[in-house]
């Protein structure tokens, strides 16, 4: 860990090429940070969880997945014989982020529990309600993770929103689609009609980086009419799975890739948006995933960004645009 990611002071970061203040983010922060977690899995034991573990293990044996065979084998045995509780992974995340006074957004999967791309838990399960209360008490945001089958249907988005509201007593305003499923402009139009303030789906799963070089939140337009679509897009910069599983990066390689993204976000005064899945925390096989997150957050913190939940960033961006 030889790279110190931020040698540029915040005051310098606030200046553009002409030496003028960008004043883009609250309190003159040099760039913004959006931390998020897609809650695909919560329970250590489950039918699809076991299928996924078996598939991962056989891929590991054939050299098609990245990971640790012994740790994977141990994890499979544990989940079947002595499953760990759901709480520790989330408490780990809250502890890591709150060290900097930061809070994040958790997108809960809504959908049919017993389908391939559905939820791995029911929103109404007592432990899931308890989890939601834990996050709400920690001042985190809860959004919807859904839309795999309904990614261009407003009715599906409305149903997801209502189910979360009914289960948790909060009205979600943010959404990220499962597997980043997306089509333009249908997804954003349907999400807007479904009542969402912002979308966090727009990103790349095969490599880290700023999709279409878009480094700021934006309000998209309908390509036919040119009319704005009533939703704020918070582009996704990078997710854990891409770094460690798709690309197979080690700890230092992943940090180098992340440092590059941090530099770009700083240079543009843009939005750095991270997705780290909850089920890879407090998990020995994925120890590096968590360690990289911890170290990268430390590096980001030296740059003193504005860190908000997705809802806070989207509201700020919208009010800023309206106010000029
Ligand atoms: Zn997902």
């Amino acid at each position: 860990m030889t790279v110190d990611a931020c040698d540029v002071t915040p005051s310098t970061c606030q200046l553009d090429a002409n030496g003028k203040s960008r004043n883009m983010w609250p309190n003159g922060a040099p760039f913004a940070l959006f931390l998020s977690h897609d809650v695909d899995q919560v329970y250590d034991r489950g039918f699809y969880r076991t299928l996924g573990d078996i598939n991962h293990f056989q891929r590991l044996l054939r050299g098609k997945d990245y990971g640790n065979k012994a740790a994977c084998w141990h994890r499979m045995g544990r989940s079947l014989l002595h499953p760990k509780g759901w709480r520790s992974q989330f408490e780990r995340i809250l502890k890591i982020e709150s060290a900097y006074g930061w809070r994040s957004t958790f997108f809960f999967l809504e959908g049919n529990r017993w389908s391939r791309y559905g939820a791995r838990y029911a929103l109404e399960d007592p432990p899931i309600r308890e989890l939601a209360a834990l996050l709400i008490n920690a001042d985190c945001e809860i959004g919807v993770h859904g839309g795999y089958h309904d990614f261009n249907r407003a009715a599906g988005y409305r149903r997801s929103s209502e189910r979360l509201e009914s289960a948790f007593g909060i009205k979600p305003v943010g959404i990220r689609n499962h597997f980043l499923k997306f089509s333009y402009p249908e997804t954003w139009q349907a999400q807007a009609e479904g009542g969402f303030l912002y979308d966090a789906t727009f990103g790349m799963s095969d490599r880290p980086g700023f999709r279409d070089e878009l480094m700021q939140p934006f309000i998209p337009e309908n390509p036919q009419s040119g009319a704005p679509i009533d939703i704020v897009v918070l582009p996704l910069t990078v997710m854990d799975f891409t770094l460690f599983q798709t690309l197979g990066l080690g700890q230092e390689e992943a940090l180098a890739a992340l440092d590059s993204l941090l530099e770009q976000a700083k240079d543009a005064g843009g939005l750095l948006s991270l997705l780290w899945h909850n089920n890879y925390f407090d998990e020995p096989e994925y120890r590096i995933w968590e360690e990289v997150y911890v170290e990268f957050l430390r590096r980001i913190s030296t740059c003193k960004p504005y860190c908000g939940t997705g809802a806070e960033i989207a509201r700020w961006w919208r009010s800023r645009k309206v106010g000029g």
Side-chain angles (χ1 to χ4, degrees):
M1 300 193 187
T2 54
V3 181
D4 186 1
C6 190
D7 295 317
V8 183
T9 63
S11 58
T12 307
C13 293
Q14 288 168 40
L15 304 180
D16 63 17
N18 299 315
K20 293 181 179 171
S21 171
R22 290 193 179 106
N23 203 21
M24 191 93 77
W25 299 106
N27 304 316
F31 64 102
L33 174 66
F34 173 30
L35 303 174
S36 66
H37 312 280
D38 289 356
V39 185
D40 292 328
Q41 299 181 31
V42 174
Y43 303 133
D44 202 26
R45 180 195 283 168
F47 176 69
Y48 283 103
R49 168 66 186 263
T50 303
L51 285 186
D53 285 347
I54 292 170
N55 186 46
H56 174 51
F57 189 66
Q58 63 89 12
R59 287 178 62 85
L60 266 179
L61 292 177
R62 293 189 294 131
K64 302 239 176 200
D65 265 6
Y66 296 95
N68 181 299
K69 297 185 192 78
C72 178
W73 185 249
H74 181 266
R75 185 162 60 84
M76 289 168 65
R78 181 200 69 207
S79 72
L80 292 172
L81 300 173
H82 301 287
K84 67 175 183 178
W86 58 267
R87 190 178 283 272
S88 63
Q89 55 192 311
F90 293 96
E91 288 182 336
R92 191 75 70 98
I93 293 170
L94 296 178
K95 186 176 178 194
I96 293 166
E97 295 169 352
S98 65
Y100 305 105
W102 294 343
R103 296 161 294 112
S104 53
T105 298
F106 293 77
F107 295 100
F108 278 71
L109 193 52
E110 192 281 327
N112 188 344
R113 188 172 182 176
W114 300 107
S115 72
R116 186 174 178 195
Y117 298 111
R120 302 290 174 255
Y121 49 84
L123 299 174
E124 297 76 15
D125 288 351
I128 303 300
R129 290 182 196 259
E130 206 179 323
L131 165 60
L134 174 78
L135 301 175
I136 292 167
N137 284 337
D139 227 7
C140 292
E141 180 194 0
I142 289 180
V144 171
H145 188 42
Y148 187 85
H149 296 292
D150 292 324
F151 69 99
N152 56 3
R153 291 183 52 244
Y157 287 116
R158 269 195 293 272
R159 184 203 62 235
S160 297
S161 176
E162 287 164 6
R163 277 203 65 209
L164 255 73
E165 186 170 6
S166 147
F168 303 152
I170 51 98
K171 182 167 176 51
V173 299
I175 177 139
R176 175 181 291 129
N177 285 352
H178 199 31
F179 287 84
L180 306 186
K181 191 130 183 227
F182 169 81
S183 72
Y184 173 67
E186 294 81 9
T187 294
W188 286 329
Q189 276 176 330
Q191 290 171 338
E193 284 173 38
F196 286 94
L197 166 70
Y198 77 90
D199 171 59
T201 305
F202 186 73
M204 302 181 290
S205 60
D206 60 341
R207 60 190 187 280
F210 299 89
R211 183 170 174 176
D212 295 346
E213 300 187 1
L214 291 165
M215 297 181 173
Q216 311 285 359
F218 62 93
I219 294 171
E221 291 182 350
N222 182 306
Q224 273 85 45
S225 66
I229 301 172
D230 189 19
I231 196 158
V232 180
V233 178
L234 304 181
L236 171 65
T237 315
V238 59
M239 68 171 164
D240 51 3
F241 197 88
T242 304
L243 295 173
F244 304 110
Q245 197 53 256
T246 307
L247 300 178
L249 301 184
Q251 192 158 1
E252 293 300 328
E253 296 168 309
L255 281 167
L258 292 166
D259 283 339
S260 166
L261 300 174
L262 174 57
E263 286 300 319
Q264 292 175 65
K266 278 188 329 192
D267 287 347
L271 174 67
L272 183 65
S273 167
L274 311 184
L275 159 56
W276 247 246
H277 291 79
N278 57 283
N279 52 300
Y280 300 123
F281 286 84
D282 187 30
E283 186 58 78
E285 188 185 358
Y286 299 99
R287 177 180 52 81
I288 287 174
W289 300 33
E290 179 177 328
E291 287 179 358
V292 166
Y293 190 69
V294 169
E295 172 59 15
F296 189 45
L297 260 54
R298 186 196 69 73
R299 294 181 184 187
I300 296 171
S301 73
T302 67
C303 304
K304 305 202 176 342
Y306 164 67
C307 180
T309 63
E312 289 166 344
I313 292 170
R315 288 195 179 106
W316 164 263
W317 191 260
R318 184 170 286 253
S319 66
R320 179 186 163 275
K321 296 301 256 191
V322 170

